[in-house]
Amino acid sequence: MNESFIINGSSISNISDFYNEINRLLMKNEDWQLGESLDDLDDALYGGYGELIGIDSPHFIWLDSEKSRTALGIDATRAYYLNKINQPEYFNVKLFQEKLKNLEEGTGETYFEILLDVFKSHENITLVLR
């Protein structure tokens, strides 16, 4: 079974908004929500729960993706990495310092680009940016 999901990029101004949008799409009939986590997103895209149960080849259309690209760009990514660096008891500080350095040098990915990579890693999923 195939189904389309519309990501409303105009409602995304930060990383939290992105996960709110994904929860609106994929978790509306669940009694729990995904956390603000790339791992949670990746797990959800495997389709074991939420609206993706029984969907073989989900099709995502990301409207206003350029607005999201800007909102989840360098500034949001920098804040994301700094948050990780400031929690050494939970995260690999050296890894996130390196990622921040690469971002600042223009060779690292933004959070938006990382999200695209997560979607792309699921061969059964189509993501169209509009």
Side-chain angles (χ1 to χ4, degrees), residues 26-28 30 32 47-53:
L26 301 182
M27 304 301 287
K28 60 186 166 191
E30 297 290 336
W32 59 282
Y49 46 82
E51 298 302 304
L52 292 180
I53 291 176

Side-chain angles (χ1 to χ4, degrees), residues 45-104:
L45 294 178
Y46 280 107
Y49 46 82
E51 298 302 304
L52 292 180
I53 291 176
I55 308 295
D56 298 324
S57 299
H59 186 87
F60 288 85
I61 301 168
W62 194 328
L63 301 178
D64 295 317
S65 61
E66 285 305 311
K67 179 187 181 299
S68 300
R69 183 184 299 276
T70 300
L72 304 174
I74 291 173
D75 291 340
T77 309
R78 181 183 300 114
Y80 170 76
Y81 289 149
L82 288 171
N83 182 51
K84 303 292 186 196
I85 290 166
N86 289 327
Q87 298 182 69
E89 63 277 13
Y90 299 112
F91 299 104
N92 180 341
V93 171
K94 189 172 186 171
L95 171 69
F96 288 105
Q97 286 172 331
E98 184 67 25
K99 288 180 177 285
L100 179 59
K101 178 179 176 268
N102 291 340
L103 180 72
E104 300 290 354

Side-chain angles (χ1 to χ4, degrees), residues 1-129:
M1 187 163 142
N2 299 335
E3 188 160 334
S4 293
F5 298 90
I6 307 296
I7 300 171
N8 181 3
S10 66
S11 69
I12 298 171
S13 298
N14 55 49
I15 292 171
S16 292
D17 289 345
F18 170 78
Y19 288 100
N20 289 337
E21 182 66 7
I22 291 299
N23 278 313
R24 180 189 69 78
L25 288 174
L26 301 182
M27 304 301 287
K28 60 186 166 191
N29 293 313
E30 297 290 336
D31 61 359
W32 59 282
Q33 300 284 285
L34 299 175
E36 293 181 19
S37 161
L38 294 164
D39 289 336
D40 282 4
L41 173 63
D42 189 47
D43 289 347
L45 294 178
Y46 280 107
Y49 46 82
E51 298 302 304
L52 292 180
I53 291 176
I55 308 295
D56 298 324
S57 299
H59 186 87
F60 288 85
I61 301 168
W62 194 328
L63 301 178
D64 295 317
S65 61
E66 285 305 311
K67 179 187 181 299
S68 300
R69 183 184 299 276
T70 300
L72 304 174
I74 291 173
D75 291 340
T77 309
R78 181 183 300 114
Y80 170 76
Y81 289 149
L82 288 171
N83 182 51
K84 303 292 186 196
I85 290 166
N86 289 327
Q87 298 182 69
E89 63 277 13
Y90 299 112
F91 299 104
N92 180 341
V93 171
K94 189 172 186 171
L95 171 69
F96 288 105
Q97 286 172 331
E98 184 67 25
K99 288 180 177 285
L100 179 59
K101 178 179 176 268
N102 291 340
L103 180 72
E104 300 290 354
E105 292 174 351
T107 59
E109 290 183 307
T110 65
Y111 202 86
F112 182 82
E113 293 165 330
I114 296 166
L115 290 172
L116 297 183
D117 289 344
V118 172
F119 277 91
K120 186 190 282 186
S121 72
H122 295 269
E123 294 178 0
N124 64 312
I125 291 178
T126 302
L127 174 64
V128 176
L129 303 179

